[in-house]
Amino acid sequence: MPSTHLPSGHRAIAVLVAALALSALVLQYVLILRLTRDNVGMALGTVRFFSYFTILSNLAVALVAFTAAAGRTGFLAQARVRGAVALYIGVTGSIYFFILRHLWQPQGAQWWADTGLHYAVPLAYWAWWLAFTPHGSLRWREVAGWLLFPLAYVAWVFVRGAWLGEYPYPFIDVGQLGWAQVGVNALGVMAVFVVLGFVIVGLDHLLGRRRRPL
């Protein structure tokens, strides 16, 4: 099984990926608190912040990249966790690009946060994962395990929606679309997770064979 330990040069690149994710997260958090402090307050504003899959996937990028940069071992250094984060941040960027970017036009600081979270971080993490991490250890069954987190997220979104009457994304807004349409949309998004998950495992196998010494 390939080692999860990275050379110092590869860890330096991980620092850049982590810093990019963290800066985008901090900027977005500040912007959300500015919008919510005078109506729902900081506590619910923070709940709203962490209710976006975009935020959770970028946070996962920051944690995994910082772990790699520090040269640490453990859960966040495992190849299957790095693959899972590639899946989550990949879906974040894909769904935003193909569905959500047409729905609003962010300006100023919000544009910078939006670009960082949905474009710069996904591209940076994927470039780092593809080029600078060990490959060849992922199994096809990993995809089933990777789906547990988005399924738990969907469950939380519906609980939160019943509690607060709001949903983080328009395609899962039960109040506007109804359960039938939201169910169809959710299945479509889960299909994206499954397909991209298999792509990630396939890429890992391909890269593992190419880098294996003769």
Side-chain angles (χ1 to χ4, degrees):
M1 181 179 295
S3 170
T4 59
H5 184 72
L6 302 181
S8 59
H10 296 186
R11 295 203 304 270
I13 296 172
V15 172
L16 298 178
V17 175
L20 179 61
L22 184 60
S23 61
L25 285 165
V26 170
L27 177 56
Q28 185 61 72
Y29 184 59
V30 170
L31 293 173
I32 282 185
L33 289 186
R34 285 181 180 176
L35 290 174
T36 59
R37 64 186 177 186
D38 294 330
N39 44 44
V40 299
M42 289 186 63
L44 287 180
T46 300
V47 171
R48 181 177 295 177
F49 176 74
F50 285 107
S51 295
Y52 288 95
F53 192 85
T54 294
I55 298 302
L56 300 179
S57 60
N58 274 267
L59 182 60
V61 166
L63 292 172
V64 167
F66 271 126
T67 297
R72 295 179 180 175
T73 58
F75 177 75
L76 292 175
Q78 294 178 12
R80 62 188 178 92
V81 175
R82 290 173 179 166
V85 174
L87 173 60
Y88 303 150
I89 199 66
V91 172
T92 292
S94 299
I95 295 297
Y96 185 82
F97 181 80
F98 289 107
I99 298 176
L100 298 176
R101 70 185 176 97
H102 308 288
L103 303 181
W104 74 322
Q105 299 295 325
Q107 303 293 325
Q110 184 59 67
W111 182 89
W112 284 102
D114 189 72
T115 300
L117 294 170
H118 297 107
Y119 296 115
V121 173
L123 290 173
Y125 184 86
W126 265 72
W128 174 74
W129 179 77
L130 288 168
F132 300 109
T133 66
H135 291 284
S137 65
L138 296 181
R139 300 293 179 262
W140 296 109
R141 63 176 179 268
E142 309 284 5
V143 177
W146 292 344
L147 295 180
L148 295 177
F149 176 64
L151 287 172
Y153 172 78
V154 169
W156 156 246
V157 163
F158 291 148
V159 170
R160 176 184 178 275
W163 173 35
L164 297 177
E166 63 178 27
Y167 297 84
Y169 299 106
F171 56 85
I172 51 174
D173 189 331
V174 176
Q176 292 293 323
L177 302 177
W179 281 105
Q181 185 60 55
V182 166
V184 171
N185 294 346
L187 286 175
V189 172
M190 292 308 298
V192 174
F193 276 99
V194 172
V195 171
L196 187 56
F198 283 122
V199 168
I200 287 169
V201 176
L203 287 171
D204 179 74
H205 289 181
L206 178 62
L207 292 170
R209 287 195 297 270
R210 287 184 175 181
R211 296 177 187 178
R212 190 173 298 133
L214 299 176

